Structures are given as structure tokens and as C-alpha cells.
């Protein structure tokens, strides 16, 4: 598995009760973009621009599969963000 910045170095499961919401700048057309979903884990992604050479990203379920934010942006648009929060 890889993200757009680099290979995923490891993964741990998420605690229950968290989700990821997909965000977009105001006025952005989001038709056809699936919403976020249940947070299932965290991955360590190699990233030369991050402190220590890696960053931690969420893994969430949406549109029938698991995504990292990098993978989701590559599929649906670089302007999209991912925000972790509690399930409602």
C-alpha cells in the first residue's frame, strides 16, 4: 500500500467511536464525491517534508473501501481534506 507521498510504513487499528469527515473549501462543487466514514486505523506514511521523515494519517471507510487522505484526494480532488472527529 502506498500514498501519494510515499510507502506506508505501518498501521495500527483505531479506537472505536471515531469517524472521518471529508471537507472542501466553501463554494467547491462536491457532486459525486462520497462523504467520509468510520475511522478504522492509522498509518505511518514516509514523507520527506514532515518532521522525522514520516507522518501519521487516518484510514477511513468510504464508497465501499478503505482510504488514506492522499488516496481519497488522488481519486476525487486535491482540494479535499479529511477531519477526524467523534461519531455522531
Amino acid at each position: 500500500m502506498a500514498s501519494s507521498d510515499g510507502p506506508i510504513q505501518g498501521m495500527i487499528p483505531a479506537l472505536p467511536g471515531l469517524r472521518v469527515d471529508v471537507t472542501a473549501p466553501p463554494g467547491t462543487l462536491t457532486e459525486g464525491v462520497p462523504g467520509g466514514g468510520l475511522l478504522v486505523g492509522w498509518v505511518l506514511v514516509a514523507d520527506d517534508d514532515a518532521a522525522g521523515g514520516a507522518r501519521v494519517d487516518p484510514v477511513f471507510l468510504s464508497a465501499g473501501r478503505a482510504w488514506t487522505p492522499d488516496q481519497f484526494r488522488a481519486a476525487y480532488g486535491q482540494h479535499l481534506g479529511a477531519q477526524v472527529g467523534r461519531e455522531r
Side-chain angles (χ1 to χ4, degrees):
M1 182 183 256
S3 74
S4 64
D5 282 325
I8 292 176
Q9 304 295 310
M11 181 174 175
I12 59 170
L15 295 172
L18 298 175
R19 65 172 283 111
V20 172
D21 291 314
V22 174
T23 62
T28 302
L29 180 61
T30 57
E31 185 176 329
V33 176
L38 182 67
L39 178 71
V40 295
W42 298 94
V43 291
L44 185 63
V45 179
D47 183 349
D48 292 336
D49 294 331
R55 69 175 192 278
V56 176
D57 278 350
V59 177
F60 62 99
L61 299 177
S62 181
R65 64 163 277 190
W67 302 88
T68 67
D70 287 343
Q71 294 165 338
F72 197 84
R73 282 190 288 268
Y76 295 105
Q78 292 299 315
H79 60 287
L80 299 171
Q83 183 175 1
V84 176
R86 292 186 184 268
E87 284 188 287
R88 297 177 205 130

